[in-house]
Amino acid sequence: MISKMQETGVIEKFTELFNELEDCDEDNQKQKIEEMNTLTEKMDREELKSIFTLELFNEIHQMIEEKKLQLGNAILLLKHVGYWKVLINTYFLCFKKSLLNERFERMILEEEKKRNEKNEILLDDLCECCFLLKDRFSTELLSICVPCLLKAASKKDENEETQKEVEMALLALSNLRFIKIEQELFLNEIKEIIKYHQEHHNLTHLAYQYAWMFLIHRFVTNRSLEDAIVDELRFPRAATRELEALSKCVDWKKKEEVTKRVKEVQITKRWVCTIEVLFSNFLSWKDEFMELICCIVGLCRVTRENEEIQGCFRYQLLDLTQNETICIEDMVKSGYISLVLEDFLQSTLNDEIMFFSFDIYLSIFGRLNKKMDDDSKEEERLKNKIAIFEKMEEEGYEDIIISFHETLNFLNRKYGSGFSLDIADYFVNV
């Protein structure tokens, strides 16, 4: 059994309820597990990991084996824990080593072999538990679970129960991150799910996000998906609409409101991280990217008080700079260059923001100082240099950088960044 912990509150209550499970009938077990699931949603990452250890997963396995815990009730607990784990972006590295994981994988393989007699609801539940609770999968498990969950996610009924099932199936799929999956296992099905929603709006906002996360994560290992993602399904337009809606539903400048709207913060972070994957990998510029970049610039400004989201934006902005598919002129037009310059002008500039700002500007300057073979592109490069030079001169950028000169050594030591100590490298010369 779980030993009593020193912590009070949700962990202590969760422990107490778990230790009572084996003495309950099925209905009482279910009631206690529903209470435990409610408690789970009050836990942060460290609290969740302190509860769900290798020992606990093995204990659950043993209780199922000895018929002290009904399998359906165990699944009810584990699916919800997996849901919350993904929502707050943490990991259980211990689950894949557990006897419970071995049990579930064995049951999936056995259920799949039944063909016409298989219990599809049980198979869905087992696949969701595995995909939500761990991050490594065999090719065989993927070949069974991916089609199974896409089928569950393709249900078109809009009643609340079906929507929850669809959302959970897509959440489990989205947690596959950057694992390579054969295209024939998923592409037609996920495209149909997204297209149907774009026409009929049958998915919840979360389910729609999970569908995109699953597809965009496949893009990292399969660049041929770019046409489907950008041209056919219009991801930039879809992401812009979703981000604009999120920017309006929270007053990002009021810390107390942002603190209360944890769900919206997490949803925003996931959209930003999903877009970052696209910006790191796309191969050809599309006009719709401009609208999305403008939206990101606007959202980055209004969320400046939220360090969690700003951390996501820093990586995304750096990816934008380093992807040479995006021309400097579009960065100027979108307000992106001005945004980064504004960071230097903040009165409370922290080390991390300073590091990213230097890194971003060095990337921009490197591109601006690289002469182009094509005459028209060279003309555009010089025009951009003048525009950025004038903007920086107007804002007093040169004086700001000189004032930070002594900081460069510190940033190099702290981040291992290798920033040049020659201050002239940080200026645009026309």
Side-chain angles (χ1 to χ4, degrees), residues 56-65 99-100 103:
L56 178 63
F57 288 127
N58 285 339
E59 179 68 21
I60 292 173
H61 159 77
Q62 194 61 36
M63 290 171 72
I64 296 171
E65 186 75 18
L99 296 172
L100 186 61
R103 180 188 200 95

Side-chain angles (χ1 to χ4, degrees), residues 224-236:
S224 68
L225 294 174
E226 183 170 334
D227 288 343
I229 291 169
V230 178
D231 295 329
E232 188 177 351
L233 299 175
R234 299 293 182 90
F235 173 74

